[in-house]
Amino acid sequence: MDNKLIATVDIGSHSCILLIAAFESSTPSTSSGTESPTETTDAKDAEPAEVSADQKVLVPKLQKVEVCRLGEDIYEHGAITEKRIKELEAIMTKFRMDLHALGANLKAAVMTEAMRNAENPDEVIAAVEKTLWMKPRIISGEEEGKLTYRSVKEWHGEGIVTIDIGGGSTELSNGDTTFSIPVGALKMFKAMGPIPGPEYKKFVKETFKEVSFKGMTKKPVYLIGGTGTALAMVYLNKQQFDYKAIEGLELSISDLDAVTTKISNLSKELRAMLPGLENGRHEVIICGLFWLKSLLEKLRVETFKISTAGLRFGLLYEEDTTSLRTK
């Protein structure tokens, strides 16, 4: 396979993410990039363990994150508003310009929980297709979870459980079983505010009534998504995204409690100044951390690791049939 640039677009409930990457046979000599509130450029140059010469490595070249908050419209209106569609069109136009500037081949564009529930999906799909020049597809929560698991498995191996906490839903997978829970950080924020109160205990009890974690308990857990990245950056006090420091970072529930308390004790203005909490994530992060702790308790683990992989990587593995690892 030629080392051509390929790309995916993930349109979520809180953020839209563009990934431009390449499958490569060896590690290129590159420098780490920087992260701004809207753009991450990181050439991940740490060598994965036990990569043989015949294995391909997925190397990210550019990652851009733009906040879209489609889930907010779903919560308030049941449909994506015209204003939000215009904002989404502007984001997709930026992504298309990046794709063309780098000569990348867009392989897939997908939409997740917000669009699974939108009353006007055709209107939004048409707007994205017009500006991105590719028709996006709405994927199920199960497919989302399977693709996320695949992306982490390629780096960290099997026998794990992945948790992907998004804005509108959470996907868990152990490779054999995958399911989606319609709970996310943005959805919780809209229902409970920035810091969940006494109602949270009842909310969790009701949510878990129909959820079975059979086959997932007491296994190594990897947290995926913006909640995990933000948690790691606050914990490490990293002002800029640092792949080497974040990928595989192990935290305990005690560490999670300490970060949650630290963030909760700050005003919203100071909270927004913490690393990784730009672009509205300071509003939803505490809800995401509360929810994470509840999930970890149900999984019966005391520690967990953070991975920077995710759906956008899993979509590219669909294009390749050889043995691959995320890098």
Side-chain angles (χ1 to χ4, degrees):
M1 179 183 296
D2 294 333
N3 291 342
K4 294 180 179 179
L5 294 178
I6 51 179
T8 58
V9 172
D10 171 8
I11 302 172
S13 297
H14 183 266
S15 304
C16 300
I17 307 176
L18 168 67
L19 168 68
I20 297 178
F23 285 114
E24 299 182 346
S25 297
S26 59
T27 305
S29 177
T30 53
S31 59
S32 299
T34 60
E35 178 180 269
S36 70
T38 59
E39 182 173 8
T40 303
T41 307
D42 52 281
K44 301 179 178 180
D45 54 2
E47 196 66 54
E50 300 179 2
V51 175
S52 62
D54 60 345
Q55 287 178 323
K56 299 291 184 178
V57 179
L58 182 54
V59 183
K61 303 297 183 178
L62 174 71
Q63 297 187 74
K64 292 190 75 172
V65 181
E66 295 275 359
V67 173
C68 59
R69 301 187 81 145
L70 299 181
E72 193 170 272
D73 275 8
I74 300 302
Y75 181 85
E76 295 179 354
H77 309 289
I80 308 301
T81 61
E82 183 177 349
K83 177 183 177 182
R84 196 78 69 177
I85 291 175
K86 292 296 183 184
E87 293 173 354
L88 184 59
E89 287 179 339
I91 293 171
M92 293 300 108
T93 299
K94 290 179 184 178
F95 285 179
R96 178 170 53 81
M97 292 173 67
D98 287 319
L99 290 166
H100 287 190
L102 294 177
N105 182 12
L106 182 59
K107 291 290 187 178
V110 298
M111 311 174 95
T112 56
E113 180 67 12
M115 294 307 302
R116 291 195 282 263
N117 295 299
E119 295 173 358
N120 58 336
D122 292 343
E123 182 182 357
V124 183
I125 289 172
V128 171
E129 184 177 13
K130 179 180 71 175
T131 49
L132 190 60
W133 298 1
M134 171 180 278
K135 185 176 182 178
R137 62 186 179 96
I138 301 172
I139 63 173
S140 68
E142 183 178 2
E143 183 178 1
E144 183 179 357
K146 286 180 177 178
L147 288 168
T148 297
Y149 175 86
R150 173 70 190 275
S151 72
V152 181
K153 183 194 75 171
E154 293 294 339
W155 175 257
H156 297 286
E158 298 182 346
I160 63 173
V161 171
T162 56
I163 302 176
D164 183 2
I165 300 178
S169 67
T170 298
E171 284 69 43
L172 291 93
S173 180
N174 64 1
D176 296 320
T177 301
T178 302
F179 60 87
S180 179
I181 305 173
V183 174
L186 178 60
K187 185 178 287 187
M188 288 177 60
F189 166 71
K190 298 304 295 184
M192 304 180 192
I195 304 179
E199 75 277 12
Y200 179 72
K201 186 175 181 180
K202 180 181 179 181
F203 162 79
V204 169
K205 185 177 180 181
E206 290 296 318
T207 300
F208 286 149
K209 267 186 179 180
E210 306 298 325
V211 179
S212 171
F213 292 89
K214 184 178 180 180
M216 293 192 176
T217 59
K218 297 183 178 181
K219 293 180 180 288
V221 171
Y222 283 84
L223 174 64
I224 319 303
T227 296
T229 300
L231 168 61
M233 291 178 68
V234 174
Y235 176 78
L236 296 170
N237 194 28
K238 291 283 185 181
Q239 296 301 316
Q240 293 184 334
F241 180 85
D242 183 344
Y243 164 76
K244 290 183 178 180
I246 294 175
E247 186 63 40
L249 174 67
E250 185 170 24
L251 300 177
S252 65
I253 289 184
S254 295
D255 295 327
L256 173 61
D257 287 338
V259 172
T260 304
T261 299
K262 174 182 178 179
I263 297 174
S264 300
N265 286 340
L266 296 175
S267 66
K268 64 179 182 179
E269 291 81 11
L270 291 176
R271 200 178 303 149
M273 297 174 66
L274 289 176
L277 301 189
E278 309 91 347
N279 277 347
R281 194 168 294 281
H282 68 286
E283 296 180 335
V284 304
I285 185 64
I286 298 172
C287 288
L289 297 181
F290 266 66
W291 177 231
L292 170 60
K293 183 176 180 180
S294 298
L295 291 168
L296 294 172
E297 289 174 344
K298 294 297 288 186
L299 292 171
R300 298 168 65 186
V301 295
E302 293 295 327
T303 63
F304 62 99
K305 293 182 179 180
I306 294 173
S307 176
T308 59
L311 171 61
R312 60 197 182 280
F313 291 92
L315 288 164
L316 290 178
Y317 287 121
E318 287 190 313
E319 300 294 328
D320 191 88
T321 59
T322 59
S323 180
L324 303 169
R325 289 179 182 270
T326 308
K327 174 173 180 282

